Amino acid sequence: MARRRRISPAGFPVHVIQRGNNRSNCFLSETDFIAYVKWLNVYAKKFNIHIHAWVLMTNHVHLLCTPQENNRGVSAMMQSIGRMYVRRFNAKYERTGTLWEGRFRSCVVDSEKYLMTVSRYIELNPVRAGLAKHPANYKWSSYHRNARGVHTSLCTEHPIYTSLGTDPEARQKSYRALFHDELSNKDIERIRTYSQIGKALGSEQFKTRLYEALGSESEGSPRI
């Protein structure tokens, strides 16, 4: 059976997960993290993808991003990053073969209902994994940009984030306040499940808007 084609509707945020093959480590040194961030920046711009939140763990990557054009931009971005990074990784560590666990996982996200929840989920990954007591203590994530205003050309503010305050300092303060409460187990499981199976994460009204944007009348949630 042919694989379902991934679709990237313009203006709809996407949660992307890319894992190391057999959950093996795909970042072994600081220079590995630096290289991945560099190519993420390059190819996000090339394919007109806005990155809102991200985290690089030792054996997987999470992104929250919005394509700005109706094309396969998210897939093209991930494929381009993967090619460049694997070539460098294999050469550096004198290895051959695959690094990533097949295709990346993803789901479209209802920005009004779930954007901030998914952003927190992504930036709290190091805390859940026991690598940091607080997201501020983990270097390789967008928390430093979203919550503390650390300058980076990688992240683009989503309108939902911008609405948190009238100026950057107010937005950062409001964003930090979101982390005072833990994510519920229900939200964590919902994000994990929907990203794994590729279903749109949102209300029925959101799914209707998504189907209209795709020009699809088929039942079920589209893949990205």
Side-chain angles (χ1 to χ4, degrees):
M1 175 185 276
R3 294 185 303 185
R4 294 180 63 180
R5 180 169 174 259
R6 296 179 189 270
I7 305 169
S8 300
F12 288 84
V14 184
H15 176 211
V16 174
I17 307 171
Q18 179 85 78
R19 295 191 180 278
N21 192 37
N22 293 321
R23 297 183 179 268
S24 60
N25 287 348
C26 42
F27 300 100
L28 302 180
S29 70
E30 181 157 327
T31 58
D32 295 340
F33 289 104
I34 292 171
Y36 192 96
V37 170
K38 179 189 75 174
W39 282 315
L40 174 59
N41 202 354
V42 167
Y43 289 111
K45 289 179 171 56
K46 177 177 180 178
F47 295 107
N48 203 11
I49 310 293
H50 289 179
I51 307 294
H52 311 302
W54 58 273
V55 68
L56 307 185
M57 304 293 286
T58 55
N59 64 359
H60 67 282
V61 174
H62 286 269
L63 307 175
L64 178 59
C65 57
T66 302
Q68 301 303 299
E69 301 173 16
N70 280 317
N71 55 30
R72 298 185 67 246
V74 173
S75 291
M77 177 183 73
M78 297 303 294
Q79 289 165 6
S80 298
I81 296 169
R83 256 192 322 269
M84 296 298 292
Y85 184 77
V86 172
R87 185 182 305 162
R88 174 195 175 276
F89 190 91
N90 283 354
K92 179 179 178 181
Y93 297 108
E94 299 181 342
R95 67 183 297 276
T96 59
T98 186
L99 177 64
W100 304 112
E101 186 184 60
R103 303 176 86 199
F104 64 88
R105 305 286 183 177
S106 66
C107 70
V108 193
V109 176
D110 183 341
S111 58
E112 293 181 3
K113 188 171 183 179
Y114 284 110
L115 188 95
M116 289 292 99
T117 302
V118 174
S119 186
R120 289 164 61 208
Y121 172 86
I122 288 172
E123 294 173 357
L124 283 166
N125 257 260
V127 177
R128 288 193 298 275
L131 300 178
K133 291 184 177 180
H134 189 275
N137 303 130
Y138 189 77
K139 183 175 181 178
W140 302 105
S141 90
S142 53
Y143 181 86
H144 305 281
R145 182 329 185 167
N146 291 327
R148 303 171 70 190
V150 175
H151 175 73
T152 173
S153 60
L154 179 57
C155 286
T156 301
E157 291 185 1
H158 189 278
I160 296 296
Y161 175 90
T162 305
S163 70
L164 292 177
T166 56
D167 57 66
E169 185 175 346
R171 290 192 282 275
Q172 293 156 26
K173 181 178 180 181
S174 296
Y175 190 77
R176 290 195 299 271
L178 297 175
F179 289 78
H180 291 169
D181 297 321
E182 295 183 1
L183 285 177
S184 68
N185 289 333
K186 183 177 180 179
D187 279 336
I188 291 172
E189 286 306 310
R190 182 183 289 114
I191 292 169
R192 286 175 175 168
T193 299
Y194 278 56
S195 299
Q196 179 70 21
I197 64 179
K199 291 186 66 176
L201 177 62
S203 66
E204 292 305 315
Q205 293 87 347
F206 165 76
K207 293 176 183 178
T208 298
R209 294 197 305 272
L210 179 59
Y211 297 147
E212 290 173 350
L214 295 172
S216 172
E217 297 181 356
S218 62
E219 294 184 359
S221 299
R223 289 186 183 274
I224 290 290

